[in-house]
PDB file of all heavy atoms in Angstrom:
ATOM      1  N   MET A 422     180.361  90.823 -27.672  1.00  0.00           N
ATOM      2  CA  MET A 422     179.011  91.323 -27.378  1.00  0.00           C
ATOM      3  C   MET A 422     178.057  90.150 -27.163  1.00  0.00           C
ATOM      4  O   MET A 422     177.228  90.171 -26.271  1.00  0.00           O
ATOM      5  CB  MET A 422     178.484  92.156 -28.559  1.00  0.00           C
ATOM      6  CG  MET A 422     179.277  93.365 -28.871  1.00  0.00           C
ATOM      7  SD  MET A 422     178.671  94.771 -27.984  1.00  0.00           S
ATOM      8  CE  MET A 422     177.032  94.844 -28.585  1.00  0.00           C
ATOM      9  N   LYS A 423     178.214  89.120 -28.039  1.00  0.00           N
ATOM     10  CA  LYS A 423     177.327  87.948 -27.953  1.00  0.00           C
ATOM     11  C   LYS A 423     177.498  87.272 -26.581  1.00  0.00           C
ATOM     12  O   LYS A 423     176.528  86.945 -25.915  1.00  0.00           O
ATOM     13  CB  LYS A 423     177.692  86.990 -29.084  1.00  0.00           C
ATOM     14  CG  LYS A 423     176.755  85.823 -29.232  1.00  0.00           C
ATOM     15  CD  LYS A 423     177.173  85.011 -30.430  1.00  0.00           C
ATOM     16  CE  LYS A 423     176.826  83.561 -30.246  1.00  0.00           C
ATOM     17  NZ  LYS A 423     177.549  82.690 -31.139  1.00  0.00           N
ATOM     18  N   LYS A 424     178.789  87.133 -26.191  1.00  0.00           N
ATOM     19  CA  LYS A 424     179.079  86.472 -24.907  1.00  0.00           C
ATOM     20  C   LYS A 424     178.436  87.262 -23.765  1.00  0.00           C
ATOM     21  O   LYS A 424     177.788  86.693 -22.887  1.00  0.00           O
ATOM     22  CB  LYS A 424     180.605  86.405 -24.738  1.00  0.00           C
ATOM     23  CG  LYS A 424     181.044  85.475 -23.660  1.00  0.00           C
ATOM     24  CD  LYS A 424     182.544  85.235 -23.749  1.00  0.00           C
ATOM     25  CE  LYS A 424     183.088  84.823 -22.423  1.00  0.00           C
ATOM     26  NZ  LYS A 424     183.861  85.812 -21.744  1.00  0.00           N
ATOM     27  N   LYS A 425     178.605  88.590 -23.839  1.00  0.00           N
ATOM     28  CA  LYS A 425     178.068  89.434 -22.758  1.00  0.00           C
ATOM     29  C   LYS A 425     176.551  89.351 -22.734  1.00  0.00           C
ATOM     30  O   LYS A 425     175.935  89.280 -21.665  1.00  0.00           O
ATOM     31  CB  LYS A 425     178.528  90.889 -22.976  1.00  0.00           C
ATOM     32  CG  LYS A 425     178.155  91.837 -21.863  1.00  0.00           C
ATOM     33  CD  LYS A 425     178.885  91.489 -20.588  1.00  0.00           C
ATOM     34  CE  LYS A 425     178.118  91.970 -19.374  1.00  0.00           C
ATOM     35  NZ  LYS A 425     178.604  91.384 -18.140  1.00  0.00           N
ATOM     36  N   THR A 426     175.929  89.323 -23.935  1.00  0.00           N
ATOM     37  CA  THR A 426     174.462  89.249 -23.997  1.00  0.00           C
ATOM     38  C   THR A 426     173.965  87.956 -23.360  1.00  0.00           C
ATOM     39  O   THR A 426     172.969  87.955 -22.634  1.00  0.00           O
ATOM     40  CB  THR A 426     173.985  89.308 -25.474  1.00  0.00           C
ATOM     41  OG1 THR A 426     174.789  90.238 -26.162  1.00  0.00           O
ATOM     42  CG2 THR A 426     172.550  89.726 -25.582  1.00  0.00           C
ATOM     43  N   HIS A 427     174.721  86.857 -23.609  1.00  0.00           N
ATOM     44  CA  HIS A 427     174.333  85.577 -22.991  1.00  0.00           C
ATOM     45  C   HIS A 427     174.443  85.675 -21.478  1.00  0.00           C
ATOM     46  O   HIS A 427     173.592  85.156 -20.747  1.00  0.00           O
ATOM     47  CB  HIS A 427     175.240  84.451 -23.498  1.00  0.00           C
ATOM     48  CG  HIS A 427     174.796  83.917 -24.835  1.00  0.00           C
ATOM     49  ND1 HIS A 427     173.568  83.357 -25.030  1.00  0.00           N
ATOM     50  CD2 HIS A 427     175.412  83.875 -26.042  1.00  0.00           C
ATOM     51  CE1 HIS A 427     173.438  82.997 -26.300  1.00  0.00           C
ATOM     52  NE2 HIS A 427     174.557  83.308 -26.936  1.00  0.00           N
ATOM     53  N   GLU A 428     175.514  86.349 -21.022  1.00  0.00           N
ATOM     54  CA  GLU A 428     175.696  86.500 -19.568  1.00  0.00           C
ATOM     55  C   GLU A 428     174.533  87.290 -18.978  1.00  0.00           C
ATOM     56  O   GLU A 428     174.002  86.937 -17.931  1.00  0.00           O
ATOM     57  CB  GLU A 428     177.010  87.233 -19.286  1.00  0.00           C
ATOM     58  CG  GLU A 428     178.226  86.320 -19.430  1.00  0.00           C
ATOM     59  CD  GLU A 428     179.527  87.083 -19.251  1.00  0.00           C
ATOM     60  OE1 GLU A 428     179.492  88.244 -18.772  1.00  0.00           O
ATOM     61  OE2 GLU A 428     180.559  86.531 -19.598  1.00  0.00           O
ATOM     62  N   ILE A 429     174.123  88.354 -19.709  1.00  0.00           N
ATOM     63  CA  ILE A 429     173.007  89.177 -19.208  1.00  0.00           C
ATOM     64  C   ILE A 429     171.734  88.334 -19.153  1.00  0.00           C
ATOM     65  O   ILE A 429     170.997  88.356 -18.182  1.00  0.00           O
ATOM     66  CB  ILE A 429     172.799  90.418 -20.106  1.00  0.00           C
ATOM     67  CG1 ILE A 429     174.006  91.343 -19.977  1.00  0.00           C
ATOM     68  CG2 ILE A 429     171.531  91.162 -19.732  1.00  0.00           C
ATOM     69  CD1 ILE A 429     174.004  92.506 -20.946  1.00  0.00           C
ATOM     70  N   ALA A 430     171.526  87.535 -20.246  1.00  0.00           N
ATOM     71  CA  ALA A 430     170.332  86.675 -20.284  1.00  0.00           C
ATOM     72  C   ALA A 430     170.339  85.701 -19.111  1.00  0.00           C
ATOM     73  O   ALA A 430     169.288  85.338 -18.578  1.00  0.00           O
ATOM     74  CB  ALA A 430     170.281  85.917 -21.600  1.00  0.00           C
ATOM     75  N   GLY A 431     171.548  85.297 -18.686  1.00  0.00           N
ATOM     76  CA  GLY A 431     171.657  84.367 -17.563  1.00  0.00           C
ATOM     77  C   GLY A 431     171.602  85.092 -16.220  1.00  0.00           C
ATOM     78  O   GLY A 431     171.777  84.469 -15.173  1.00  0.00           O
ATOM     79  N   GLY A 432     171.372  86.406 -16.242  1.00  0.00           N
ATOM     80  CA  GLY A 432     171.213  87.164 -14.992  1.00  0.00           C
ATOM     81  C   GLY A 432     172.504  87.725 -14.431  1.00  0.00           C
ATOM     82  O   GLY A 432     172.527  88.223 -13.307  1.00  0.00           O
ATOM     83  N   ASN A 433     173.615  87.626 -15.212  1.00  0.00           N
ATOM     84  CA  ASN A 433     174.885  88.185 -14.720  1.00  0.00           C
ATOM     85  C   ASN A 433     175.094  89.574 -15.326  1.00  0.00           C
ATOM     86  O   ASN A 433     175.377  89.713 -16.496  1.00  0.00           O
ATOM     87  CB  ASN A 433     176.025  87.232 -15.112  1.00  0.00           C
ATOM     88  CG  ASN A 433     177.385  87.795 -14.732  1.00  0.00           C
ATOM     89  OD1 ASN A 433     177.461  88.796 -14.022  1.00  0.00           O
ATOM     90  ND2 ASN A 433     178.431  87.150 -15.194  1.00  0.00           N
TER      91      ASN A 433
END
Side-chain angles (χ1 to χ4, degrees):
M422 298 269 300
K423 187 176 150 198
K424 194 168 156 253
K425 186 66 205 166
T426 321
H427 278 300
E428 282 176 13
I429 293 172
N433 176 10

